[in-house]
């Protein structure tokens, strides 16, 4: 591009910027806060991932060595990576579809029943320490709900150590995660369904939409694409960032690291060993994985209703 | 049974499938509602039922004793309990109101005005959603210290104003507003600020009610966050104090069950109120082309 060309472009952009100055005024308060409390810490953390920082001495530049150590020298990270990917691959899509399916079913109900039903489905996300009830269900002795059920019905002879046995841990975590997953995206979908213009359905019926499934695919889903994209980002983030339920249910660290995830690994290095540089590198890797997954998902979602 | 499904124009619906789906939904609801039932019934259990093993889901001899015990615990606390309640409400209300207004103001241009840079700014916001909060804690602590916000309410409130989730959700909703509606407002001589405040904001009410639910829920249980930045006992929140009670061990099990129920009441109330509002506003939303 020649210099005069560039100058011309800058002039045009500048003209537009002046024309839309009210847009920047509306944006300013949010972005000042966003940059201070979100963007800046994120950038700083990415920068720290190339250093050796223990919170006491000033950071020392080490280049890619944190990343090299992660993939070559850290067996537990590789277990965590495998766990997280497996976990996300199963709970991510299922929870996303469940969010939509239940939002859609609830939306068909008359207002009063709908409000009650929404509350009940959303309940696990509201009530703070819901892990308690799962600890009772999967308690390791014969009094735990799951064990007493299996033993009473003769499926097993002795209690199973659900939360200590490496065979079951990850599966139980997945069940609990799915149960907790009707959260943010679920509510956003409900609100989104309310926004779909009812005349579209009438028009659809005239144009030959024959049943509710066609209606769903050709009218409802395309009309709420913005919410679907939003939900995807949220569900992907929550299925990759799982940590708290793991730490609460199966302990931290879990037996043989069988339920270690990328985030618990990160917490280990960040808040126990105070190796901030290394834990920042873990976060950056997780970020890259999520980003890639999101790009793929967003591309798939654009095909909805075609 | 059919009456349950009377809403909207009932085109393209078969009665049988309606029934099946409804029963499926009821089954799932029973399963999902468990913690709610458990928490409520636990709060009213007498001490021998709380420690019963295997635990019972429902209370057999309900009592208010746990709540009285809670009252006694707070009776001799150093800071009056009402002060903690005030702190919590202050943080939750100011944080939420500010967040809804600031996030909506930013979402409107991102969704509806094609100003230079709107795509890049939005991408940056989305990217930040994918970064885990655990590592940004340290830089965040430093920023808050530099700004002199340590030990003030603002250490919790200001970051809440800029929550990413709210902006994203709002922007996605505003995209669905027909451009013709905004054109009409502009032709009538409204400035962008007025268009935003008087045309756009009323239309997206379902979205800001959803935003309010998330925000209140987050701020209501912000004890862990505020604990890091707020040291004065006078400025601490209910959530934090309840954690203190819970750490009292076995003898406190009853009061803790009562606390858990009390902590749930506010988010649930907000949720119920917003829900009914979401439904009402829909009929007058003016979202039609």
């Amino acid at each position: 591009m020649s210099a005069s060309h560039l100058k011309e472009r800058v002039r045009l952009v500048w003209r537009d910027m002046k024309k839309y100055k009210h847009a920047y005024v509306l944006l300013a308060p949010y972005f000042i806060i966003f940059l201070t409390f979100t963007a800046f810490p994120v950038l700083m953390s990415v920068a720290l991932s190339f250093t050796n920082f223990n919170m006491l001495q000033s950071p020392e530049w080490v280049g890619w060595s944190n990343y090299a150590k992660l993939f070559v020298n850290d067996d537990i990270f590789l277990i965590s990576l495998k766990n997280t990917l497996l976990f996300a691959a199963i709970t991510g899509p299922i929870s996303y579809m469940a969010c939509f399916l239940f939002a859609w079913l609830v939306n068909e109900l008359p207002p009063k029943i709908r409000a009650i039903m929404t509350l009940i489905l959303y309940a696990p996300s509201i009530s703070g320490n819901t892990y308690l009830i799962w600890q009772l269900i999967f308690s390791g002795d014969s009094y735990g709900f799951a064990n007493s059920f299996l033993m009473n019905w003769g499926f097993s002879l002795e209690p199973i150590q659900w939360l200590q046995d490496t065979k079951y841990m990850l599966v139980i975590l997945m069940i609990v995660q799915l149960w907790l997953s009707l959260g943010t995206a679920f509510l956003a979908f409900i609100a989104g369904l309310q926004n779909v213009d009812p005349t579209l359905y009438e028009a659809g019926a005239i144009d030959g939409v024959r049943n509710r499934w066609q209606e769903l695919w050709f009218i409802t889903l395309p009309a709420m694409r913005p919410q679907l994209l939003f939900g995807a980002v949220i569900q992907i983030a929550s299925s990759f960032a799982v940590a708290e339920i793991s730490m609460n249910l199966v302990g931290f660290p879990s037996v043989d690291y069988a339920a270690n995830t990328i985030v618990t690994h990160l917490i280990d290095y960040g808040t126990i060993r105070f190796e901030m540089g290394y834990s920042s590198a873990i976060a950056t890797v997780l970020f890259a994985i999520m980003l890639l997954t999101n790009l793929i998902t967003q591309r798939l979602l654009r095909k909805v209703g075609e | 049974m059919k009456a349950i499904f009377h809403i909207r124009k009932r085109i393209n619906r078969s009665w049988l499938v309606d029934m099946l789906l409804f029963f499926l939904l009821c089954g799932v609801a029973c399963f999902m509602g468990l913690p709610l039932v458990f928490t409520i019934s636990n709060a009213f259990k007498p001490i021998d039922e709380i420690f019963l093993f295997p635990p019972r889901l429902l209370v057999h001899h309900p009592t208010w004793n746990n709540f009285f015990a809670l009252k006694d615990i707070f009776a001799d606390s150093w800071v009056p309990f009402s002060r903690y309640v005030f702190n919590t409400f202050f943080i939750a209300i100011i944080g939420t109101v500010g967040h809804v207004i600031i996030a909506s103001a930013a979402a409107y241009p991102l969704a509806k005005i094609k100003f230079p840079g709107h795509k890049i700014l939005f991408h940056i916001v989305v990217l930040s959603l994918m970064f885990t909060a655990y590592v940004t804690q340290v830089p965040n602590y430093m920023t808050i210290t530099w700004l002199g916000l340590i030990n003030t309410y603002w250490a919790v409130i200001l970051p809440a104003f800029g929550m990413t989730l709210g902006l994203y959700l709002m922007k996605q909703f505003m995209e669905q507003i027909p451009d013709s509606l905004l054109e009409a407002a502009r032709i009538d001589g409204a400035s962008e600020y007025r268009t935003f405040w008087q045309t756009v904001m009323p239309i997206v009410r379902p979205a800001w009610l959803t935003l309010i639910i998330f925000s209140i829920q987050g701020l209501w249980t912000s004890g862990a966050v505020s604990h890091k930045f707020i040291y004065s006992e006078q400025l601490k929140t209910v959530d934090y104090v309840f954690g203190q009670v819970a750490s009292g061990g076995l003898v406190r099990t009853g009061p803790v069950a009562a606390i858990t129920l009390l902590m749930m009441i506010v988010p649930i109330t907000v949720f119920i109120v917003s829900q009914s509002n979401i439904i009402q506003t829909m009929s007058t939303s003016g979202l039609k082309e």
Side-chain angles (χ1 to χ4, degrees):
Chain A
M1 200 185 285
S2 68
S4 67
H5 239 92
L6 194 70
K7 224 169 145 189
E8 177 64 14
R9 261 203 77 162
V10 170
R11 201 184 63 81
L12 280 176
V13 169
W14 181 242
R15 197 200 62 196
D16 271 359
M17 285 175 80
K18 274 197 291 196
K19 185 176 153 208
Y20 293 120
K21 60 178 188 300
H22 46 260
Y24 299 101
V25 174
L26 285 168
L27 277 170
Y30 181 86
F31 268 86
I32 291 170
I33 294 170
F34 172 80
L35 292 175
T36 320
F37 295 107
T38 309
F40 171 69
V42 165
L43 287 179
M44 197 157 154
S45 153
V46 173
L48 281 178
S49 76
F50 295 100
T51 68
N52 219 339
F53 183 40
N54 56 10
M55 316 246 295
L56 292 173
Q57 289 133 320
S58 53
E60 175 197 342
W61 191 262
V62 293
W64 290 95
S65 83
N66 281 331
Y67 293 92
K69 186 180 154 201
L70 258 185
F71 287 101
V72 181
N73 254 341
D74 191 344
D75 291 340
I76 299 165
F77 175 71
L78 295 181
I79 297 176
S80 313
L81 183 67
K82 190 202 78 193
N83 284 344
T84 308
L85 291 179
L86 189 67
F87 194 91
I90 295 172
T91 62
I94 298 179
S95 72
Y96 182 66
M97 282 186 264
C99 277
F100 182 80
L101 178 74
F102 289 116
W104 182 59
L105 290 179
V106 162
N107 193 51
E108 303 258 304
L109 300 167
K112 283 223 174 67
I113 301 177
R114 181 198 311 166
I116 297 167
M117 206 56 116
T118 314
L119 174 65
I120 295 174
L121 291 179
Y122 189 59
S125 323
I126 307 181
S127 38
N129 38 8
T130 40
Y131 309 110
L132 185 67
I133 199 157
W134 288 98
Q135 265 158 358
L136 295 177
I137 293 175
F138 289 112
S139 169
D141 50 33
S142 55
Y143 292 114
F145 290 153
N147 277 335
S148 67
F149 174 82
L150 288 178
M151 286 160 73
N152 282 342
W153 291 86
F155 289 111
S156 70
L157 291 173
E158 51 190 29
I160 299 168
Q161 298 287 322
W162 297 105
L163 300 173
Q164 269 79 48
D165 194 321
T166 51
K167 266 190 298 192
Y168 302 113
M169 277 199 273
L170 213 52
V171 179
I172 290 173
L173 289 187
M174 284 177 192
I175 296 171
V176 178
Q177 169 78 10
L178 284 175
W179 179 75
L180 278 171
S181 63
L182 294 187
T184 315
F186 173 66
L187 281 198
F189 287 165
I190 289 185
L193 283 162
Q194 310 264 341
N195 260 355
V196 180
D197 183 355
T199 53
L200 285 177
Y201 294 106
E202 287 157 39
I206 296 165
D207 288 343
V209 169
R210 277 191 312 281
N211 55 46
R212 74 176 83 207
W213 313 108
Q214 282 187 352
E215 192 182 285
L216 179 67
W217 182 252
F218 291 111
I219 301 169
T220 311
L221 285 175
M224 48 184 292
R225 192 167 288 144
Q227 281 81 30
L228 291 178
L229 292 172
F230 170 77
V233 175
I234 297 298
Q235 289 309 101
I236 288 171
S238 67
S239 63
F240 274 107
V242 59
E244 252 154 68
I245 62 166
S246 169
M247 296 196 293
N248 279 295
L249 276 178
V250 299
F252 175 56
S254 47
V255 177
D256 273 351
Y257 295 101
N260 223 40
T261 66
I262 298 183
V263 178
T264 62
H265 198 58
L266 181 159
I267 293 171
D268 185 2
Y269 279 90
T271 62
I272 296 175
R273 305 177 203 216
F274 290 113
E275 294 187 26
M276 295 315 293
Y278 195 62
S279 82
S280 297
I282 301 174
T284 311
V285 169
L286 180 65
F287 171 68
I289 297 173
M290 279 199 215
L291 195 63
L292 190 70
T293 320
N294 261 296
L295 288 176
I296 298 168
T297 315
Q298 310 262 330
R299 192 148 293 177
L300 287 175
L301 281 175
R302 287 188 209 289
K303 295 203 182 353
V304 158
E306 275 168 6
Chain B
M1 197 69 200
K2 202 162 183 174
I4 294 175
F5 291 93
H6 68 92
I7 57 134
R8 279 211 319 243
K9 306 255 176 338
R10 303 306 304 167
I11 34 179
N12 294 329
R13 290 293 183 276
S14 84
W15 186 75
L16 186 74
V17 181
D18 269 349
M19 288 266 287
L20 280 176
L21 290 176
F22 186 67
F23 283 120
L24 170 80
L25 204 53
C26 285
V28 174
C30 286
F31 185 58
M32 301 298 276
L34 273 179
L36 220 51
V37 176
F38 190 76
T39 317
I40 294 170
S41 102
N42 240 14
F44 293 100
K45 278 180 187 169
I47 203 84
D48 54 325
E49 275 189 59
I50 289 183
F51 288 113
L52 201 64
F53 211 86
R56 251 184 230 148
L57 188 61
L58 294 175
V59 54
H60 282 208
H61 305 285
T63 159
W64 289 99
N65 279 349
N66 295 333
F67 295 92
F68 293 136
L70 199 59
K71 215 186 94 209
D72 292 341
I73 292 172
F74 286 119
D76 47 46
S77 96
W78 175 42
V79 175
F81 185 61
S82 53
R83 176 71 203 222
Y84 297 119
V85 175
F86 169 80
N87 294 342
T88 308
F89 274 95
F90 185 82
I91 289 176
I93 292 173
I94 304 284
T96 302
V97 171
H99 173 59
V100 171
I101 295 173
I102 290 175
S104 309
Y108 168 58
L110 285 178
K112 283 297 169 191
I113 304 175
K114 301 279 167 274
F115 64 91
H118 72 279
K119 276 199 180 126
I120 298 170
L121 286 180
F122 183 63
H123 280 306
I124 294 173
V125 172
V126 178
L127 284 183
S128 76
L129 266 182
M130 292 170 226
F131 210 89
T132 164
Y134 286 100
V135 269
T136 53
Q137 276 173 1
V138 173
N140 240 329
Y141 187 85
M142 292 172 170
T143 337
I144 286 174
T145 318
W146 288 334
L147 292 172
L149 297 176
I150 287 290
N151 216 9
T152 65
Y153 293 130
W154 299 105
V156 184
I157 295 177
L158 268 186
F161 283 169
M163 271 193 331
T164 331
L165 204 64
L167 177 82
Y168 193 114
L169 185 67
M170 225 8 140
K171 188 242 172 196
Q172 299 297 65
F173 266 93
M174 286 179 177
E175 269 183 355
Q176 288 166 311
I177 301 171
D179 286 326
S180 53
L181 209 64
L182 301 179
E183 277 316 308
R186 287 181 196 131
I187 289 164
D188 287 348
S191 67
E192 282 299 334
Y193 308 112
R194 263 190 73 175
T195 313
F196 160 68
W197 193 248
Q198 297 188 338
T199 311
V200 176
M201 278 302 258
I203 293 177
V204 292
R205 241 177 98 176
W208 47 271
L209 287 168
T210 315
L211 229 66
I212 289 173
I213 297 174
F214 294 147
S215 176
I216 295 259
Q217 228 170 280
L219 288 169
W220 187 250
T221 52
S222 60
V225 187
S226 58
H227 180 47
K228 265 179 246 151
F229 304 124
I230 298 179
Y231 307 130
S232 306
E233 197 63 28
Q234 281 92 338
L235 299 180
K236 292 210 154 139
T237 58
V238 178
D239 185 36
Y240 169 77
V241 179
F242 284 180
Q244 295 295 81
V245 175
S247 63
L250 275 185
V251 276
R252 295 275 176 86
T253 312
V256 167
I259 276 176
T260 318
L261 180 64
L262 288 178
M263 279 308 278
M264 260 168 62
I265 288 175
V266 167
I268 287 188
T269 314
V270 171
F271 183 79
I272 292 171
V273 172
S274 317
Q275 267 286 302
S276 55
N277 259 309
I278 291 177
I279 290 149
Q280 275 168 14
T281 42
M282 285 326 298
S283 48
T284 53
S285 76
L287 211 66
K288 283 186 196 170
E289 271 281 22

